Amino acid sequence: MKFIGFIAAFLMIGTIILPAQTYKPAERVYVKTSDYVKGHFNGETPKKATIWVIGDLRDDINEVLNGADSTPVRYRYWRKDNKTLWKSNSVARTMPITAGVVVEDGKIVDITVMTYRESRGHEFQSRHHRVQYVGASITSDNNLTNSIDGISGSTLSVNSMKRMARMALLLHNDATSDD
């Protein structure tokens, strides 16, 4: 009888503790980085460039992130003429979303979810939602010029995508300001 009680206790503890430690949502890879870059630069892959996040740019990015993510010291990006492509990560609820943002002449040309790691809320990666960002630029107070509608159940993912769009626009404007 003690043996059955021991097994029951072991199974109860295992169902409570073990799933919390081993749970990891599926990682959905929608597009590989190399394919995304080539797709926006006519089959070519421009040389990567680096932008250092210092001074006013750091302050602006900290304002956009508002504590949601840590501020990187630098960003790597691809550039050809006045078109830049940024790959960034932002945490939605518990896991980071990887997105690519293409900016040309200070406006978003494309924004795509490359990898999604959350267990729910992936609906925001649909074309219907992403088209809202096309043509958006950034205002003087670091907001998007386009109004972005949210999706019920995907609020944190949508907010994460907005942050990445705003960061890409800030970084693009800084990277192309010397032209």
Side-chain angles (χ1 to χ4, degrees):
M1 193 61 152
K2 288 183 181 182
F3 184 69
I4 293 173
F6 176 74
I7 290 175
F10 180 74
L11 290 175
M12 285 187 355
I13 291 171
T15 58
I16 293 170
I17 296 174
L18 195 57
Q21 294 174 348
T22 60
Y23 174 73
K24 183 179 177 193
E27 183 171 286
R28 296 180 191 107
V29 178
Y30 293 109
V31 63
K32 291 181 359 183
T33 303
S34 58
D35 295 338
Y36 189 68
V37 172
K38 287 179 183 177
H40 286 283
F41 291 106
N42 299 323
E44 299 176 17
T45 302
K47 187 176 177 184
K48 270 188 170 181
T50 302
I51 188 166
W52 293 93
V53 182
I54 55 174
D56 291 338
L57 179 61
R58 184 168 188 78
D59 295 339
D60 289 340
I61 287 178
N62 281 333
E63 179 186 330
V64 166
L65 294 176
N66 195 23
D69 297 305
S70 59
T71 306
V73 177
R74 67 184 170 131
Y75 281 94
R76 302 285 307 230
Y77 66 101
W78 294 265
R79 179 180 180 182
K80 185 175 182 184
D81 301 325
N82 203 26
K83 181 190 268 188
T84 58
L85 187 147
W86 306 87
K87 177 184 170 187
S88 60
N89 293 305
S90 182
V91 175
R93 182 180 174 128
T94 57
M95 302 295 288
I97 297 168
T98 302
V101 184
V102 180
V103 182
E104 188 168 15
D105 298 322
K107 295 185 181 203
I108 294 176
V109 175
D110 182 72
I111 188 164
T112 297
V113 177
M114 299 171 79
T115 306
Y116 192 75
R117 297 172 185 91
E118 293 285 355
S119 60
R120 63 184 77 138
H122 61 88
E123 298 84 4
F124 85 106
Q125 62 81 30
S126 71
R127 181 77 182 137
H128 177 71
H129 176 73
R130 293 182 295 120
V131 75
Q132 298 178 87
Y133 295 89
V134 175
S137 57
I138 196 138
T139 64
S140 60
D141 57 347
N142 297 330
N143 289 314
L144 294 174
T145 55
N146 294 10
S147 176
I148 308 297
D149 293 332
I151 298 173
S152 180
S154 297
T155 303
L156 297 175
S157 297
V158 170
N159 290 343
S160 180
M161 190 70 117
K162 285 182 192 178
R163 282 193 301 273
M164 288 187 281
R166 291 166 61 196
M167 280 191 328
L169 288 164
L170 285 169
L171 292 164
H172 171 85
N173 291 342
D174 194 76
T176 59
S177 66
D178 58 340
D179 294 346

